[in-house]
Amino acid sequence: MKILYFAWVRQKVGLAEEDVAPPDSVGDVAGLVAWLAGRSPGHAAAFADPRQVRAAVNQDFATPDQKVAAGDEVAFFPPVTGG
């Protein structure tokens, strides 16, 4: 699974992207966020408040209950605001 990080999420994690192999128990975005938060202090800081992070799975916006699987591309980014 390829994970992409953008904006302040990337700054906190310290990586732009990484390839990961989450355990089989990780089946959705929320589970992935929880698992990623345990990978390092930077990941923990980035995902400290999951409500402040948005996700996309295979380039489609995703909710926390969106299913994820091996081979997916998952991107995390801050909420986007416009004027």
Side-chain angles (χ1 to χ4, degrees), residues 15-78:
L15 299 167
E17 64 181 63
E18 62 181 326
D19 291 314
V20 299
D24 291 339
S25 60
V26 173
D28 59 20
V29 170
L32 181 60
V33 165
W35 180 76
L36 287 169
R39 289 180 53 86
S40 76
H43 287 84
F47 296 112
D49 184 356
R51 296 171 299 169
Q52 296 299 316
V53 179
R54 299 294 181 260
V57 176
N58 299 321
Q59 300 184 2
D60 288 324
F61 285 109
T63 59
D65 62 348
Q66 170 74 38
K67 300 295 183 203
V68 294
D72 283 345
E73 176 188 88
V74 183
F76 292 104
F77 48 91

Side-chain angles (χ1 to χ4, degrees), residues 2-6 10 13-20 73:
K2 178 172 278 218
I3 309 295
L4 305 173
Y5 303 106
F6 294 94
R10 175 177 42 204
V13 170
L15 299 167
E17 64 181 63
E18 62 181 326
D19 291 314
V20 299
E73 176 188 88

